[in-house]
Structures are given as C-alpha cells and as structure tokens.
Amino acid sequence: AVAMFTGKANCPYYAKAELLADYLQTNLPDFRVHKIAQHPDKWEQWLHDICETNGWEHRQCPIIWRELLDRGGKGQLLGGLDDFLEYAQQYYGTTSMMLSEEMLDIAEENLQAHLEIVKEDEEIKSLIKPMQIWITSASVPICYHLIPLLANGEVFGMTTEVSIHLLDTDQFKEILHGIVMEAEDMAFPLLCSISEHTKIDQAFIDADIIIVLDDVLLNLEVQSRESYIREMSEICQVYAPLIEKNAKSEVKVISSGKTFANLKATMLRTYGPSIRPENIIATATSWESAAKAMLARKLNMNTAGVKDVIVWGNISGSNYIDLSHAKLYGYDCAIWGPPNFHRPLLNMIYDSEWIHSEFQSAQSTLSSRVSRCTAMLPAHAVATVLRYWYHGSPPEEIISVGILSEGQFCIPEGIIFSMPVRFQNGNWEVITELEINETTQKILERLSHELVQEKLVALKEINEMHPYEAE
C-alpha cells in the first residue's frame, strides 16, 4: 500500500504529517508515501472534488489515505493529522515531537518550494505550447496547400507544435470539414490540432499568427473598382477589432491572395491601431519567384541561382520588378569562383533590348501567371516569409515584402508598400542603404500615388456608409 498525503503547501499540519511520513518511509521497508502539495487558493476545490469522487467526508488539512495498488478500487481514508499520528503510534510505535514554530517554518519553506515548482512547470509548458495559427477564407486552394507546409516542421522548426484554425463562412463549412479530416489523416507529428470555425465572434482567439486570404472576384464589367475596394475594406473593418480583442499582443498578420493584398494590410492597420505596425505585412514572394523563373529561363540556368530581384509597390496591382541589384550565383560563364561568388545579372544579359522591352512588357504576362497561381506558389510564398520571419532570411539576400511605409525611399507614410527588407532575430528591417536611380524613383512615385488613392477610396467609401462612426 501507498500512503497518500495532500494538503495546502503553507499548512503547518501538512508539514508535520509529511515529515513523520518521510521518517517512516526511511526506516520501514514496507511503508511508501506519495505527497501532493496544493496551492492554498486551489485547496478547497481540490479537497471537495477528491472527497466527492471517493465518497469521503473530510474538511481539514491535510487529508491522508491509503491506496491498495495491487487490488484496485478506491482508496481507504485515514483522515487528518491527528488520525495519522494515532495510526503511526498504534502500528509503528512512532510519533512526531515537532514544535509549532518548526511547523510554521517548514510550512513556509513548503510554500516557496511549491511556487517554484509551479513556475518551472509553467515555463516548460510555455515552451511546448502549440503555436496558434488562424487562416481566414480558409476554403480557398491556397490554404489547402499551405497546411502541410505549416505542419511539417520546415517553417517553425522540428520542435514547435502548431494548432491551425480555419475560418470561413457557413456556406463553406463542408469544405472546411473535409480539409480538417484530411489534415488529421496525414498525422503530422507537429500538428497538435486543426479545427474549423464559422462564428466570426470567436475568431483569432489566442492567435500567434493570422494569415488573411480573403479575396474578391474582380469583374469590372459588373461592378466598379471602388465597390470592390469597399467590400475588402469592410472585411478588414470586421477583422481588425477582433484581432485587437482576441489575438495575442505580439500577433503577426500576413496578407496574401490575388486581390488587394496591400490594401488589406493597410486597412487592418487603419482599423486595428493597437496591432503592432511592424507585425502586419503583405507577401510579394510570388512575384519574386515568377520573375526569377523568367530570368533563369532566359539565361538557361537554375532559378535558385537568381537572387535580389526586388518587387516595388502594389503586390496584387501595379508594381515594378527592379533588376538593378539582381545577382547570379553559379552561372555558367568564363569566370568561376567559390559558392558565394556572384555576377551582376544585368551584365550577364547581353541582349539589353530584351531587358528594356520584352522583360518589362512581359510583366503583364507575369501578372497573369501570378494571378492564375491560386495554390502552390502563393502558399509557398506565405510559408517562406514566415520561415524568414522566425529564423531569419539568408545573409546578404534581399527579400521583397509589403510593409507600412515610414518614408523610406521617399515613399509616402501610412501605406503598405512592397520594398526590399532583410529578416533577422524575429524582426525585419528595410534595406535603406540600397541606391536607386532616378528612373526607379519616378516609378516609385507613380506606384505610391496609386496606393494612396486606393486607401483614400477605401476610407471614403466606408465613411459614406457609416458617417456617424467616421465622426
């Protein structure tokens, strides 16, 4: 049998009982003891629950019972301190001579030790607590391809568990249910849980990461661009306060999708002023990847060797692909060097006419390619940016991300604008030391004007619909 001792960690009677139990366990080969100290604030509820479960009547501290491990069944109640002292005297001829002052000192030590153990347990649990990831408009194909990338350990590391929450409207409930079941069937070791949500008021609870995939189906023959801007802005007006209310204070928000990626990020910042501005970004990696692939095909080389292609401006609108800083690694030419040896891309494309005419005009084709890529490419883009955000981007490499402008490169403040950054130590920083030529500067001015106008239209449409809220 094992004697079970439980009491308030700061109770002197519990201290006296446990020390006598320790003495008996040390000196008697058949006497075993198991002690459970309870926090004073939780003691009453714990005592009520254990007594109700076993059908006992006991209201004192400590409570002591015997468990017959080899027979099963409920434990045999011994009682409190006086009952245990009598039991020890009767069966083992031993009692405790501890004085009241000693009991109080040991009780205080017990409480401090218990608090330290609780704190240590909480710290350990916090280290293994799953990362809470919320995905909006989760019925879209991007989400379907994104889930394996988030759950296989490549993004956050092989020791970080994730819980994924899929949010969409009631009409997509069956699709969400199917995604959940398929993800569960794949049995990812790091996927702690995956769940579907259709109640908007429960959105973003405890979120560490929010991936906003909402899109509108643009058809300018049916509806004006201003109407679509208003539609997207209204979605953000719903999401932003919920993020402020329910998500963690350090939540990271990523805007992706085929339409209004910059605007979504801008409006979430506008309607969610307490969200850290540096934690709201829009992904431009799809454009980077597609442009690198086009250049690699022209140069007959591996796409992975094309680096530092910069995407400026509106990720899902008018943007500019800047090759002035682009580099080639591992390019098959007359000059070779170590793995970090690179050549300027523009020096290696001898057909300058292709750069100035065909490549620039091909951006419309590129735009079509990117917009048609509704699944693998944008999912990979989101996963790549998240991996860089948490583990850093490759040293010396330029990554294009839509971030809130603070006036860098003479871009107006207050708009989400794609520009060159590097990720390091869980943060990003704009690579402001880059030199840009006069032609690029003029293009940035035009792109900035377009995004400023888009934001003004969004605010105007919302203010017209809700004039009293605007005031």
Side-chain angles (χ1 to χ4, degrees), residues 454-470:
E454 193 174 82
K455 180 181 178 181
L456 290 174
V457 168
L459 293 172
K460 175 176 177 290
E461 294 285 343
I462 290 296
N463 289 346
E464 287 177 354
M465 289 188 65
H466 309 287
Y468 297 108
E469 289 183 20

Side-chain angles (χ1 to χ4, degrees), residues 301-302 305-306 328-333 335-343:
M301 66 175 291
N302 189 334
V306 184
L328 302 178
Y329 290 79
Y331 181 56
D332 187 5
C333 64
I335 302 174
W336 281 79
N340 62 347
F341 174 73
H342 59 267
R343 307 297 304 277

Side-chain angles (χ1 to χ4, degrees), residues 188-313:
F188 293 104
L190 296 173
L191 183 58
C192 184
S193 66
I194 181 167
S195 55
E196 57 195 89
H197 303 266
T198 55
K199 291 181 171 57
I200 190 65
D201 58 327
Q202 297 176 3
F204 314 129
I205 291 175
D206 290 332
D208 293 292
I209 296 167
I210 298 170
I211 302 167
V212 182
L213 300 180
D214 296 74
D215 266 319
V216 293
L217 187 61
L218 282 177
N219 186 344
L220 298 179
E221 294 179 1
V222 175
Q223 199 169 310
S224 69
R225 184 175 180 81
E226 287 73 16
S227 298
Y228 288 117
I229 288 174
R230 180 181 67 213
E231 186 179 331
M232 188 56 71
S233 189
E234 286 177 336
I235 292 171
C236 296
Q237 199 174 25
V238 172
Y239 285 167
L242 288 169
I243 294 172
E244 290 183 306
K245 177 185 175 185
N246 295 338
K248 292 177 182 170
S249 59
E250 298 294 310
V251 64
K252 291 176 167 63
V253 183
I254 294 182
S255 172
S256 184
K258 293 186 294 181
T259 57
F260 301 117
N262 290 55
L263 180 66
K264 281 184 290 187
T266 298
M267 300 318 289
L268 287 171
R269 170 59 189 154
T270 301
Y271 296 124
S274 70
I275 305 171
R276 292 182 62 184
E278 62 270 29
N279 280 5
I280 303 177
I281 68 173
T283 58
T285 322
S286 295
W287 278 95
E288 275 187 27
S289 302
K292 289 174 181 177
M294 181 179 285
L295 292 161
R297 282 191 288 269
K298 173 67 176 177
L299 292 160
N300 193 29
M301 66 175 291
N302 189 334
T303 305
V306 184
K307 306 288 186 183
D308 297 350
V309 173
I310 302 173
V311 180
W312 297 94

Side-chain angles (χ1 to χ4, degrees), residues 34 38 91 137 256 264 342 354 441 459:
H34 182 70
Q38 296 290 340
Y91 283 91
S137 197
S256 184
K264 281 184 290 187
H342 59 267
W354 185 86
Q441 190 65 63
L459 293 172

Side-chain angles (χ1 to χ4, degrees), residues 332-449:
D332 187 5
C333 64
I335 302 174
W336 281 79
N340 62 347
F341 174 73
H342 59 267
R343 307 297 304 277
L345 181 143
L346 292 178
N347 289 2
M348 296 295 101
I349 297 183
Y350 301 107
D351 186 357
S352 59
E353 184 62 27
W354 185 86
I355 289 291
H356 294 108
S357 60
E358 287 189 44
F359 179 77
Q360 297 303 331
S361 63
Q363 285 203 46
S364 59
T365 306
L366 206 60
S367 176
S368 177
R369 286 176 65 89
V370 171
S371 64
R372 285 201 310 270
C373 294
T374 59
M376 280 195 294
L377 181 58
H380 178 264
V382 171
T384 299
V385 167
L386 274 173
R387 185 173 75 248
Y388 290 164
W389 210 342
Y390 279 86
H391 300 291
S393 54
E396 308 302 321
E397 192 169 322
I398 296 173
I399 311 297
S400 299
V401 173
I403 53 104
L404 188 70
S405 170
E406 295 180 346
Q408 303 96 332
F409 306 107
C410 299
I411 297 165
E413 296 182 21
I415 56 172
I416 298 289
F417 196 94
S418 181
M419 61 181 81
V421 307
R422 64 170 66 91
F423 289 89
Q424 195 172 11
N425 300 322
N427 299 302
W428 52 260
E429 61 175 356
V430 179
I431 307 177
T432 51
E433 64 269 23
L434 281 184
E435 294 184 7
I436 57 175
N437 56 38
E438 189 177 340
T439 303
T440 301
Q441 190 65 63
K442 288 180 179 178
I443 294 172
L444 298 190
E445 289 174 11
R446 176 175 57 81
L447 297 176
S448 300
H449 178 75

